[in-house]
Amino acid sequence: MPRPIQAFVHTDALRHNLARMRASAPDARAWAVVKANAYGHGIERVFEGLRGADGFALLDLDEAQRLRSLGWRGPVWLLEGVFEMRDLELCSRLDLWHTVHCDEQVDMLSAHKTQVPHRIFLKMNSGMNRLGFTPTRFRSAWTRLNQLPQVDEISLVTHFSDADGAKGVAEQMRVFAKTTEDLPGERTTCNSAGLLRHARDVSVAADWVRPGIALYGSSPDFPERNMTQWGLQPTLSLRSRIIATQDLQAGDTVGYGSTFTAEASMRIGIVACGYADGYPRHCPTGTPVLVDGVRTRTLGRVSMDMIAVDLTPCDKAMGYGSEVTLWGKSSNGGVLPIDDVAHAAGTVGYELMCAVSSRVGFTQD
């Protein structure tokens, strides 16, 4: 039989989280962001749970083709736009909306021969300083696009840099609103943090919202607020089993480098999971984990294929074969938020979702 580690994608939780996002901006249409293979979940596995969205947003043309092959006929948006001229042909064939954020993309459209004009999102750099036209150049870019027969409708977009923190969105929203106040076209500004924290502010209201990480059960402003406080549910559970136990005495050490030393006698479990499965190697002793739904901790260094866990808080019957939930939901209903594990590892839930390796089997729940 295969190694016992398995990832589960929870369709009902995806539906729930999408509904939660809609409730934050009930008058707006919602893009479901499925970039990076739906944040590691798999586009095909999340499609049923997220097909209630008004559109899907992503980065790769291959992922756009996969969505169309699933039967999706609604809007699909390339968030970074095209990367070379020939991409525009596929945009036409697949009926994709795409971002324009630089002069080079305008040049490509200008030279593109097509019978079907393109639907464009013109991006403003309102303070993130990654992609987009600065406010002083935004209107000239809009004018140039508006003159092209290759362009149909132009929508307007910006991206918040600090929606999840104290700085907030007010200044970026002021710049965006002032620069675009008399331009036609639909607008979109809110990612997950903007939607949950700022959508009630009328100045942030827009035609479209584009939740990403919150759809997948991770809080966009953790640890200020956690998944439960935002009313979200975990959508990805990584589970394995204990494949051995050891009884330690005071002074015994665990794993490579002997980074954990037992202070008294204790029982530990060895779990079939390691960094080759996508579990972060830099998780320290004390990273939370569930054994048969009971919260305990990891011990010592994460190795390629195994981690050790403390069985002290667990029932004596827990041992070989016991289920271990690395994050997400256990089969008996216990929940370990992915943000708790990511925080212990000094990273974010996004990275853990995207890092689950190809040797881990996936099941749609």
Side-chain angles (χ1 to χ4, degrees):
M1 64 176 292
R3 289 173 75 241
I5 190 166
Q6 187 83 11
F8 297 84
V9 175
H10 307 298
T11 301
D12 286 346
L14 288 162
R15 290 195 189 100
H16 169 89
N17 294 342
L18 176 59
R20 174 68 184 87
M21 295 298 99
R22 283 193 178 281
S24 295
D27 296 327
R29 285 172 288 171
W31 295 101
V33 179
V34 293
K35 63 181 179 176
N37 198 22
Y39 291 56
H41 291 59
I43 285 175
E44 290 78 7
R45 288 185 285 268
V46 304
F47 179 66
E48 189 60 36
L50 297 179
R51 68 184 307 164
D54 299 290
F56 287 91
L58 39 70
L59 301 184
D60 298 332
L61 286 165
D62 173 67
E63 293 181 344
Q65 287 181 301
R66 287 160 59 193
L67 266 174
R68 290 300 189 212
S69 71
L70 290 168
W72 178 254
R73 296 293 174 259
V76 177
W77 175 16
L78 294 178
L79 289 165
E80 292 180 358
V82 300
F83 301 103
E84 55 185 42
M85 186 80 168
R86 63 181 179 177
D87 294 346
L88 291 170
E89 295 292 341
L90 199 53
C91 285
S92 296
R93 181 147 51 90
L94 294 175
D95 188 24
L96 306 182
W97 304 11
H98 55 97
T99 296
V100 170
H101 60 77
C102 62
D103 290 316
E104 290 79 3
Q105 289 175 327
V106 181
D107 294 340
M108 290 182 213
L109 275 166
S110 180
H112 176 54
K113 292 179 172 55
T114 181
Q115 300 297 317
V116 181
H118 291 250
R119 178 71 184 263
I120 299 301
F121 273 90
L122 181 61
K123 187 161 192 174
M124 180 189 295
N125 173 15
S126 61
M128 174 71 88
N129 288 314
R130 295 192 311 188
L131 303 180
F133 293 92
T134 61
T136 56
R137 299 197 58 242
F138 187 82
R139 295 181 72 89
S140 61
W142 184 92
T143 299
R144 188 179 173 200
L145 281 173
N146 195 48
Q147 292 171 345
L148 295 179
Q150 295 91 336
V151 173
D152 185 8
E153 187 172 344
I154 304 171
S155 298
L156 313 175
V157 57
T158 196
H159 190 56
F160 297 136
S161 59
D162 293 274
D164 58 347
K167 185 176 178 181
V169 304
E171 178 57 21
Q172 281 187 264
M173 203 54 231
R174 184 193 67 79
V175 170
F176 182 71
K178 180 179 179 181
T179 306
T180 65
E181 60 184 346
D182 59 345
L183 293 179
E186 296 179 336
R187 282 135 167 88
T188 177
T189 59
C190 281
N191 58 0
S192 291
L195 182 53
L196 287 171
R197 291 170 62 101
H198 303 286
R200 292 183 180 179
D201 181 349
V202 68
S203 68
V204 185
D207 303 285
W208 290 86
V209 293
R210 50 182 199 276
I213 192 64
L215 292 177
Y216 305 99
S218 177
S219 169
D221 59 354
F222 185 88
E224 183 178 341
R225 292 181 181 86
N226 61 34
M227 174 191 75
T228 302
Q229 289 170 310
W230 282 127
L232 305 174
Q233 297 178 4
T235 61
L236 179 67
S237 297
L238 184 64
R239 301 178 195 152
S240 188
R241 294 197 176 275
I242 291 176
I243 59 172
T245 61
Q246 299 290 339
D247 292 306
L248 304 186
Q249 303 303 314
D252 287 345
T253 62
V254 175
Y256 288 120
S258 298
T259 60
F260 174 80
T261 302
E263 295 181 353
S265 60
M266 63 184 301
R267 190 166 60 106
I268 67 171
I270 307 303
V271 183
C273 175
Y275 59 76
D277 301 297
Y279 193 83
R281 183 180 181 275
H282 46 280
C283 279
T285 290
T287 300
V289 64
L290 303 182
V291 177
D292 284 347
V294 176
R295 188 163 174 139
T296 182
R297 59 175 179 154
T298 65
L299 301 173
R301 187 177 294 173
V302 175
S303 59
M304 180 181 287
D305 308 305
M306 289 175 276
I307 60 174
V309 297
D310 185 0
L311 295 180
T312 303
C314 304
D315 186 274
K316 291 186 182 298
M318 295 180 191
Y320 185 89
S322 290
E323 180 187 83
V324 177
T325 302
L326 289 312
W327 61 72
K329 184 171 61 175
S330 68
S331 59
N332 64 7
V335 173
L336 175 59
I338 195 170
D339 296 320
D340 289 8
V341 181
H343 186 66
T347 186
V348 291
Y350 301 74
E351 184 177 2
L352 270 60
M353 292 176 189
C354 294
V356 177
S357 77
S358 58
R359 78 174 186 172
V360 175
F362 273 78
T363 297
Q364 191 165 354
D365 182 14

